[in-house]
């Protein structure tokens, strides 16, 4: 084995790296029949549960820059963005496939830190790596991850169940990630405590797996989506799938203290547009029938979920989606969120 020391590869190819990953990052599980090392992994679905499957790619130069994203954080984010999709359906993440393209000459130290972050974020949500594919790349890193999760079929929460009169809730504090990205791109240094918080929300988002599972288990949401491309765009997706509309009251959208501080210098409309369209929040946006709100509020009151009511679902007559201030003035939005140009 061309291993130098017990956990450092000085020169390595695809096979060496897979061997190393198998030795350091594979785990056993009762439902896992075959893990890393054969043509396929083989898993046994839990009795009475269905599998949820999702995939996401993070590409250097599009989603991150190697200069500003530390490898450990990036590994964690590659896992988190997929775990967030499982959370958005209310599922329990179980298995992950990791398919990185690493440019030749990328230091093993970098890869090792990346894998540590990836593994740590999965392990925190009881998800294990069972396979994938390693490829070399010409210049840029790109990482595709597939995550499989499970849920009881009747508990699955889709995007299409919102009804007029339902209340709209969001977890956490949206906008922090976008403001953190702005700070990274501005090149402003050194960063104070406030700025560092926002940057960390961008580099290391938290997938809301426990909250999503609780919302599904208690049957609280009529529809749910995770906010990856901006609250505004993901709300459009949810209301379009449900064939309804939405009224959102800007003053009720919860902002973190660091975001509030930063917004003070941005102008009211511009600041709100950034919050609503910036994306990569990985919070959960969901709708709740008014009769179920008291049960949700109890969970919020006991600290089991952090979520705030930001509006209500309407019948979808024009305008389909309205973001307004308490004065009644509507915020105009021309670009609802991040869409990849191809
Ligand atoms: Mg999603």
């Amino acid at each position: 084995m061309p291993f130098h020391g017990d956990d450092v590869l000085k020169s390595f190819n695809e096979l060496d790296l897979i061997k190393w990953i198998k030795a350091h990052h594979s785990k056993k599980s009762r439902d896992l029949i075959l893990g890393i090392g054969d043509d396929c992994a083989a898993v046994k679905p839990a009795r009475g549960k269905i599998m949820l499957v999702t995939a996401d790619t993070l590409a250097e130069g599009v989603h991150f820059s190697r200069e500003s994203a530390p490898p450990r954080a990036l590994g964690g984010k590659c896992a988190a963005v997929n775990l967030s999709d499982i959370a958005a359906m209310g599922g329990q993440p179980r298995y992950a496939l990791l398919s990185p393209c690493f440019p030749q000459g990328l230091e093993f130290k970098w890869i090792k830190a990346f894998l540590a972050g990836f593994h740590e974020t999965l392990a925190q949500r009881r998800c294990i790596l069972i396979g994938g594919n390693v490829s070399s790349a010409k210049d840029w890193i790109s990482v595709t991850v597939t995550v499989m999760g499970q849920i009881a079929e009747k508990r699955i929460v889709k995007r299409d169940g919102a009804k007029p009169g339902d209340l709209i809730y969001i977890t956490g504090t949206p906008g922090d990630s976008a403001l953190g990205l702005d700070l990274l791109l501005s090149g402003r240094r050194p960063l104070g405590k406030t700025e560092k918080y926002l940057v960390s929300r961008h580099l290391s988002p938290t997938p809301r797996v426990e909250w999503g599972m609780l919302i599904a288990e208690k049957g609280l949401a009529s529809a749910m989506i995770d906010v990856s491309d901006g609250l505004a765009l993901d709300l459009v997706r949810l209301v379009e799938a449900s064939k309804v509309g939405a009224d959102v009251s800007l003053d009720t959208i919860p902002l973190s203290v660091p975001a509030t501080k930063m917004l003070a210098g941005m102008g009211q409309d511009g600041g709100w547009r950034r919050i609503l369209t910036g994306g990569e929040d990985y919070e959960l946006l969901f709708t709740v029938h008014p009769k179920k709100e008291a049960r949700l509020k109890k969970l919020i009151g006991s600290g089991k979920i952090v979520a705030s009511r930001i509006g209500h679902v309407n019948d979808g007559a024009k305008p389909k989606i309205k973001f307004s201030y308490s004065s009644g003035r509507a915020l105009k939005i021309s670009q609802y969120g991040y869409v990849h140009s191809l």
Side-chain angles (χ1 to χ4, degrees):
M1 252 186 340
F3 290 1
H4 300 261
D6 69 333
D7 69 345
V8 177
L9 297 179
K10 287 202 174 119
S11 70
F12 56 96
N13 62 26
E14 172 195 351
L15 303 177
D16 301 324
L17 184 58
I18 293 171
K19 232 183 245 178
W20 193 91
I21 292 173
K22 188 179 177 189
H24 290 80
H25 291 298
S26 66
K27 268 191 166 177
K28 288 196 165 56
S29 153
R30 233 183 321 138
D31 303 340
L32 178 63
I33 295 157
L34 265 181
I36 300 170
D38 211 309
D39 294 304
C40 287
V43 297
K44 202 191 313 183
R47 188 187 286 255
K49 301 273 173 82
I50 56 166
M51 299 302 284
L52 303 163
V53 187
T54 183
D56 237 310
T57 298
L58 293 195
E60 184 178 4
V62 178
H63 299 93
F64 67 92
S65 85
R66 224 182 295 180
E67 291 71 43
S68 63
R72 200 181 178 105
L74 183 65
K77 189 165 178 175
C78 286
V81 300
N82 284 278
L83 294 170
S84 177
D85 278 326
I86 300 290
M89 312 296 287
Q92 160 75 61
R94 293 293 291 128
Y95 307 112
L97 302 171
L98 172 65
S99 303
C101 297
F102 289 140
Q104 287 170 18
L106 186 64
E107 275 186 27
F108 184 68
K109 208 171 96 187
W110 191 100
I111 295 177
K112 194 178 153 191
F114 171 88
L115 291 170
F118 180 74
H119 183 79
E120 184 180 53
T121 304
L122 287 186
Q124 281 164 1
R125 278 92 194 174
R126 295 173 48 215
C127 187
I128 56 178
L129 180 63
I130 61 168
N133 180 62
V134 175
S135 169
S136 59
K138 202 143 176 27
D139 299 307
W140 286 1
I141 298 166
S142 133
V143 182
T144 298
V145 175
T146 302
V147 169
M148 301 163 74
Q150 63 186 27
I151 190 167
E153 191 170 0
K154 61 173 189 204
R155 289 285 173 229
I156 192 167
V157 189
K158 300 189 292 180
R159 295 178 183 183
D160 64 2
K163 297 271 181 298
D166 283 358
L167 307 163
I168 303 170
Y169 271 80
I170 181 104
T171 61
T173 53
D176 294 342
S177 174
L179 298 175
L181 173 63
D182 292 347
L183 284 163
L184 276 180
L185 296 177
S186 74
R188 205 159 92 206
R189 302 289 183 275
L191 298 176
K193 209 174 146 197
T194 296
E195 287 114 343
K196 277 187 184 157
Y197 171 82
L198 297 170
V199 166
S200 81
R201 295 307 296 154
H202 178 73
L203 295 175
S204 304
T206 311
R208 302 305 191 185
V209 171
E210 297 78 9
W211 294 347
M213 284 171 65
L214 195 56
I215 288 165
E217 193 187 301
K218 305 275 183 202
L220 293 174
S222 50
M224 184 152 67
I225 190 169
D226 67 319
V227 179
S228 51
D229 297 321
L231 199 166
L233 182 56
D234 287 312
L235 182 58
V236 169
R237 289 178 173 139
L238 186 148
V239 300
E240 281 185 348
S242 298
K243 300 189 176 64
V244 291
D247 281 300
V248 174
S249 161
L250 291 169
D251 306 271
T252 59
I253 297 178
L255 298 179
S256 69
V257 173
T260 310
K261 269 190 198 164
M262 207 170 143
L263 282 183
M266 286 176 78
Q268 199 180 34
D269 285 7
W272 274 113
R273 277 190 204 108
R274 192 69 190 120
I275 295 285
L276 297 174
T277 65
E280 297 205 275
D281 297 300
Y282 300 104
E283 295 297 344
L284 298 174
L285 180 67
F286 59 103
T287 55
V288 182
H289 189 280
K291 276 193 183 153
K292 295 189 173 176
E293 193 186 26
R295 282 168 57 208
L296 173 63
K297 279 188 168 164
K298 226 172 162 185
L299 292 175
I300 295 171
S302 65
K304 291 195 171 129
I305 293 181
V306 177
S308 314
R309 185 167 114 188
I310 60 169
H312 66 270
V313 177
N314 64 39
D315 62 8
K318 288 206 162 167
K320 235 180 164 32
I321 293 202
K322 200 164 134 193
F323 291 96
S324 42
Y325 293 101
S326 52
S327 64
R329 185 169 70 85
L331 175 73
K332 285 201 181 77
I333 299 178
S334 50
Q335 171 84 35
Y336 269 77
Y338 188 80
V339 177
H340 291 271
S341 320
L342 297 170

